[in-house]
């Protein structure tokens, strides 16, 4: 990207120490260049856009005031950290963002010393920063620790647990609340409503202007306590809540006014104890399409920066769309259906449902644990909740899944999206472990559809159960099969023979059935679409073991404890010693890249599956490609 003409200041800033050499009066111009560079970069790579546009000024101010990386900045979620990456030595690598071997879309400790805490899930910043602050105190260090959390992430229970702990400990910690009234989906809940009421009233309108002057000229801490403390507390009502938690509250202030931010942060840097700075920003700031629709521009595919028009999405329906359509169809048939999402309305395909059935739609905020217990309470009273959740986020509510739902055998349906490899979002968002952590639970049914229509029928099957049931499906599109409008329940625990061959039987779980069938054609192998991980079709497994010399299991889940392990257990229980090859995700975290690239890397494409079987089976057991 041509720096000489368009980025006079940005080209001078390779690291924060360069930034701190600039005159403060130059910072607004730097912000404009940084915002323009961010738009230009993400328009080519795709990624998270609107959140970063809203934190340009805050990022500049934090690195300008604090001595990073010695002073620790701990970002929440990470969607808003692209400006941070640009200013911390990674500007020239932004073209590789979210690509295989390139920059991560989230803070990552291995990537930079300025990324003090790796993160991809929300509500962790305050807890991690508190740990760092306690560590600094034990070392006798006076370094500053700053947690930056959005009002969406503040809806997560972990954030409040950490705030309560920090205030009680009198920790030397600054928490910056980036209040933009948006997370990914529109914010919900009492805290969001509380802030919205305050910020829309006359008191806020006055304070927003007045605080620019008041906070930019704060006296030393002793005088502050004597002259300004009670005045500010009484004038700004949101502070009451955080003051009760033990924090010294400041704000709200304009998060796009660099002069105000720099002066305020300098003053707060000189204070000690738990401090809470409330700033107000606009998600998508400075880019009209993103300001107008921050939900759409939260995560983007490559787009035309001049118009904001994104690249066309595949014509084939995604699994997420299949779920969204099924949900509306099922709700029209059964008034007991209630849909629940933890702040992922758009991502989980719930927009249409939320519009058609608003009284049966509940976005509980970034609170996965609560989502499951809330669903359990609904189920206790005869309703039929459907929880739409990403695989990686279901991990966060594991105790509630066990204790509140499975233990009580409650009929909650789980639509588990983004199962397996997710591509550019990388290991923080990969659904690599759900089959392993689900199949060990009593009372639960676990299904793995091989295509879109099977997904639709499995969702109906799950909803028809009088016990917990999971349908887990991958990100993106299937192979384009037609959907049967008639919903019918599949026989629970029954697999489907898809191809009859000789010697080797391949047991496929989920959408990897397609590359398995392609590999089997070359090897003349038998193929079974297993469909159910729990209950496993043990009868089919034993039949395959008795009629074949070698078994292969294939799944888009870690091999350890996954569906293949269930097959081995069934064979062991029956005293059968037919050799088994388990193909799946390795015992390591898989880095980012396009999903197809990662499947090839893991040997889960048709060629990789064929080669693995040829290498593992005795000579002559499978035919070589191109030979009869």
């Amino acid at each position: 990207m041509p720096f000489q003409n368009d980025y006079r200041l940005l080209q001078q800033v390779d690291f924060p120490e360069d930034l701190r050499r600039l005159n403060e009066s130059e910072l607004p111009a730097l912000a404009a260049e940084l915002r323009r560079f961010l738009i230009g970069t993400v328009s080519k790579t795709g990624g998270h856009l609107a959140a970063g546009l809203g934190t340009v000024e805050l990022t500049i101010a934090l690195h300008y005031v604090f001595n990073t990386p010695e002073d620790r900045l701990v970002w929440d979620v990470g969607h808003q950290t692209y400006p941070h990456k640009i200013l911390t030595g990674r500007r020239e690598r932004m073209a590789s963002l979210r690509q295989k071997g390139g920059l991560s879309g989230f803070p990552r400790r291995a990537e930079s010393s300025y990324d003090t805490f790796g993160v991809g899930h929300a509500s962790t910043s305050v807890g991690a920063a508190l740990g760092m602050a306690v560590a600094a105190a034990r070392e006798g260090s006076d370094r500053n620790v700053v947690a930056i959390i959005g009002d969406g992430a503040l809806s997560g229970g972990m954030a409040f647990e950490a705030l309560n702990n920090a205030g009680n400990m009198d920790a030397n910690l600054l928490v910056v609340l980036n209040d933009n009234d948006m997370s990914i989906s529109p914010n919900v809940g009492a805290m969001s409503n509380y802030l919205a009421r305050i910020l829309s009233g006359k008191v806020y309108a006055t304070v927003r202007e007045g605080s620019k002057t008041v906070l930019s000229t704060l006296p030393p801490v002793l005088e502050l306590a004597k002259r300004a403390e009670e005045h500010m507390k009484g004038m700004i009502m949101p502070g009451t809540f955080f003051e009760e938690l033990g924090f010294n509250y400041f704000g709200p202030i304009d998060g796009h006014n660099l002069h105000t931010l720099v002066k305020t942060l300098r003053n707060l840097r000189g204070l000690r104890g738990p401090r809470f700075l409330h700033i107000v920003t606009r998600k998508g700031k400075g880019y009209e399409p993103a300001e107008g629709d921050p939900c759409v521009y939260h995560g983007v595919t490559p787009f035309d920066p001049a118009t904001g028009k994104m690249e066309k999405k595949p014509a084939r329906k995604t699994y997420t769309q299949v779920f969204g359509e099924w949900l509306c169809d099922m709700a029209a048939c059964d008034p007991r259906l209630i849909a629940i999402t933890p702040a992922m309305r758009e991502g989980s395909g719930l927009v249409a449902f939320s519009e058609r059935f608003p009284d049966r739609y509940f976005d509980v905020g970034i609170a996965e644990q609560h989502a499951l217990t809330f669903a359990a309470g609904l189920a206790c009273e005869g309703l039929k909740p459907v929880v739409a959740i990403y695989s990686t986020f279901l991990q966060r509510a594991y105790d509630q899944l066990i204790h509140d739902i499975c233990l009580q055998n409650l009929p909650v349906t789980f639509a588990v999206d983004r199962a397996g490899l997710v591509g550019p979002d990388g290991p923080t968002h990969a659904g690599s472990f759900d089959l392993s952590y689900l199949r060990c639970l009593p009372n639960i049914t676990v299904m793995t559809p091989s295509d879109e229509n099977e997904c639709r029928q499995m969702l109906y099957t799950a909803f028809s159960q009088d016990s917990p049931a999971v349908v887990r499906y991958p990100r993106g599109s299937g192979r384009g099969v037609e959907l049967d409008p008639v919903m019918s329940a599949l026989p629970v625990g029954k697999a489907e023979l898809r191809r009859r061959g000789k010697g080797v039987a391949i047991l496929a779980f989920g959408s990897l059935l397609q590359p398995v069938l392609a590999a089997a054609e070359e090897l003349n192998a038998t193929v079974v679409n297993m469909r159910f991980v729990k209950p496993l079709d043990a009868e089919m497994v034993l039949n395959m073991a008795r009629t074949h010399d070698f078994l292969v299991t294939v799944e888009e889940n870690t091999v350890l404890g996954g569906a293949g392990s269930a097959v081995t257990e069934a064979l062991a229980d029956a005293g059968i010693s037919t050799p088994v090859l388990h193909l799946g995700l390795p015992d390591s975290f898989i880095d980012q890249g396009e999903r197809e690239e990662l499947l090839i890397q893991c040997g889960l494409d048709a060629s990789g599956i064929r080669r693995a079987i040829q290498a593992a089976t005795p000579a002559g057991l499978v035919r070589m490609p191109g030979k009869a």
Side-chain angles (χ1 to χ4, degrees):
M1 198 162 283
F3 287 100
Q4 286 74 16
N5 297 325
D6 296 332
Y7 302 100
R8 180 184 62 83
L9 292 171
L10 188 58
Q11 69 174 329
Q12 301 176 37
V13 180
D14 292 318
F15 289 95
E17 55 262 36
D18 304 317
L19 169 65
R20 292 189 279 269
R21 282 193 284 268
L22 294 179
N23 190 288
E24 186 181 330
S25 63
E26 297 178 290
L27 298 185
L30 174 66
E33 291 182 10
L34 177 55
R35 185 169 274 113
R36 193 165 64 250
F37 181 80
L38 178 62
I39 294 168
T41 298
V42 179
S43 72
K44 294 179 175 61
T45 63
H48 295 102
L49 179 63
L53 290 172
T55 59
V56 166
E57 287 82 8
L58 174 62
T59 305
I60 290 172
L62 286 168
H63 282 295
Y64 193 71
V65 170
F66 291 99
N67 183 32
T68 55
E70 174 60 23
D71 289 335
R72 311 296 200 237
L73 301 185
V74 184
W75 298 89
D76 214 286
V77 185
H79 297 147
Q80 73 274 46
T81 56
Y82 293 3
H84 162 79
K85 287 177 180 282
I86 294 167
L87 296 177
T88 54
R90 288 166 279 184
R91 184 185 65 216
E92 300 290 350
R93 294 187 62 206
M94 286 297 289
S96 70
L97 190 70
R98 303 172 78 244
Q99 298 171 22
K100 198 169 189 296
L103 289 180
S104 170
F106 301 95
R108 190 172 188 178
R109 282 170 54 83
E111 189 176 287
S112 171
S113 61
Y114 292 90
D115 291 357
T116 60
F117 194 73
V119 62
H121 295 181
S123 311
T124 62
S125 61
V126 181
L130 176 59
M132 295 177 188
V134 169
R138 290 180 63 84
E139 296 170 13
S141 170
D142 62 353
R143 67 173 172 264
N144 292 279
V145 181
V146 184
I148 304 100
I149 185 168
D151 52 325
L154 196 63
S155 69
M158 278 188 64
F160 285 100
E161 292 172 19
L163 287 169
N164 183 60
N165 190 198
N168 184 57
M169 291 175 62
D170 195 33
N172 188 29
L173 171 69
L174 171 61
V175 176
V176 178
L177 170 61
N178 175 28
D179 181 2
N180 60 25
D181 199 31
M182 288 289 297
S183 52
I184 298 172
S185 297
N187 282 337
V188 295
M191 176 54 65
S192 177
N193 291 337
Y194 176 49
L195 294 174
R197 286 199 307 271
I198 298 303
L199 299 183
S200 63
K202 292 182 179 178
V203 171
Y204 169 68
T206 302
V207 171
R208 181 172 182 177
E209 295 306 315
S211 62
K212 295 177 185 177
T213 302
V214 174
L215 292 175
S216 66
T217 57
L218 282 175
V221 64
L222 185 60
E223 278 302 297
L224 171 67
K226 291 179 179 178
R227 294 168 46 195
E229 185 176 22
E230 291 305 319
H231 176 63
M232 294 301 295
K233 288 179 186 176
M235 192 166 66
I236 307 170
M237 289 180 285
T240 304
F241 175 81
F242 299 107
E243 294 278 357
E244 289 298 323
L245 287 175
F247 281 78
N248 216 348
Y249 174 90
F250 302 88
I253 65 172
D254 184 352
H256 297 300
N257 186 310
L258 270 161
H259 177 72
T260 301
L261 282 170
V262 168
K263 292 295 184 183
T264 302
L265 289 171
R266 277 179 176 157
N267 285 313
L268 293 178
R269 184 186 61 188
L271 305 181
R272 287 293 177 264
R275 291 144 289 153
F276 194 100
L277 174 62
H278 180 178
I279 73 167
V280 179
T281 63
R282 180 162 186 166
K283 196 170 184 180
K285 173 72 173 177
Y287 187 52
E288 186 175 345
E291 285 192 19
D293 200 338
C295 277
V296 168
Y297 286 86
H298 167 74
V300 298
T301 57
F303 63 95
D304 180 352
T307 64
K309 187 176 181 180
M310 297 186 207
E311 290 183 358
K312 289 184 177 180
K313 296 180 180 179
R316 291 180 298 181
K317 285 184 180 178
T318 65
Y319 281 94
T320 302
Q321 289 171 319
V322 171
F323 163 69
E325 292 177 6
W326 168 82
L327 190 67
C328 289
D329 292 345
M330 194 71 244
C333 299
D334 193 331
R336 298 175 300 163
L337 186 151
I338 303 292
I340 302 166
T341 179
M344 294 303 297
R345 182 185 68 172
E346 288 76 16
S348 292
L350 290 168
V351 173
F353 182 91
S354 69
E355 294 169 349
R356 287 184 58 185
F357 305 96
D359 59 328
R360 293 156 66 183
Y361 165 76
F362 293 91
D363 183 342
V364 300
I366 302 177
E368 294 86 357
Q369 293 173 287
H370 165 60
L372 268 63
T373 304
F374 174 53
L378 291 168
C380 284
E381 299 302 320
L383 296 173
K384 295 280 284 184
V386 176
V387 178
I389 191 167
Y390 289 7
S391 172
T392 186
F393 298 145
L394 182 58
Q395 296 165 183
R396 310 188 85 190
Y398 195 52
D399 180 62
Q400 287 67 36
L401 178 61
I402 298 171
H403 181 271
D404 298 342
I405 294 176
C406 289
L407 181 61
Q408 302 183 88
N409 199 27
L410 293 172
V412 178
T413 297
F414 291 89
V416 179
D417 203 337
R418 271 64 165 183
L421 298 171
V422 295
D425 280 339
T428 59
H429 283 60
S432 305
F433 312 107
D434 53 67
L435 295 184
S436 300
Y437 69 70
L438 289 171
R439 60 172 288 263
C440 62
L441 303 181
N443 296 331
I444 200 167
T445 300
V446 183
M447 292 171 261
T448 57
S450 62
D451 60 37
E452 305 94 315
N453 187 56
E454 198 165 69
C455 183
R456 178 177 170 87
Q457 306 310 323
M458 284 184 175
L459 287 164
Y460 179 77
T461 305
F463 190 78
S464 302
Q465 301 299 299
D466 196 30
S467 56
V470 172
V471 180
R472 60 99 73 172
Y473 45 88
R475 181 178 189 173
S477 304
R479 59 192 182 96
V481 301
E482 289 190 22
L483 301 181
D484 187 345
V486 178
M487 294 181 285
S488 57
L490 300 175
V492 175
K494 292 299 179 183
E496 173 194 38
L497 182 64
R498 290 293 296 267
R499 187 187 190 281
R500 193 174 295 278
K502 296 180 180 180
V504 172
I506 310 176
L507 311 181
F509 293 86
S511 61
L512 292 182
L513 175 64
Q514 302 314 312
V516 163
L517 286 169
E521 284 295 323
E522 297 189 74
L523 303 172
N524 191 28
T526 294
V527 175
V528 179
N529 175 20
M530 290 301 295
R531 287 181 166 173
F532 290 83
V533 175
K534 188 171 187 178
L536 185 76
D537 190 343
E539 182 181 352
M540 177 68 82
V541 170
L542 299 182
N543 181 46
M544 292 295 107
R546 292 180 179 121
T547 58
H548 294 75
D549 300 307
F550 199 88
L551 298 185
V552 180
T553 66
V554 182
E555 61 191 297
E556 196 175 341
N557 184 86
T558 181
V559 167
L560 299 182
S565 294
V567 170
T568 303
E569 291 162 15
L571 294 175
D573 287 344
I576 295 177
S577 58
T578 303
V580 184
L581 170 66
H582 298 305
L583 300 180
L585 302 181
D587 183 23
S588 60
F589 291 104
I590 308 302
D591 213 342
Q592 67 198 27
E594 292 301 321
R595 182 168 178 267
E596 292 72 20
E597 288 182 307
L598 301 182
L599 287 172
I600 293 171
Q601 176 184 318
C602 296
L604 295 177
D605 61 320
S607 296
I609 292 168
R610 172 179 56 78
R611 289 194 301 269
I613 294 173
Q614 288 173 333
T617 52
L621 187 59
V622 295
R623 71 185 185 193
M624 298 301 290
K627 295 185 179 182

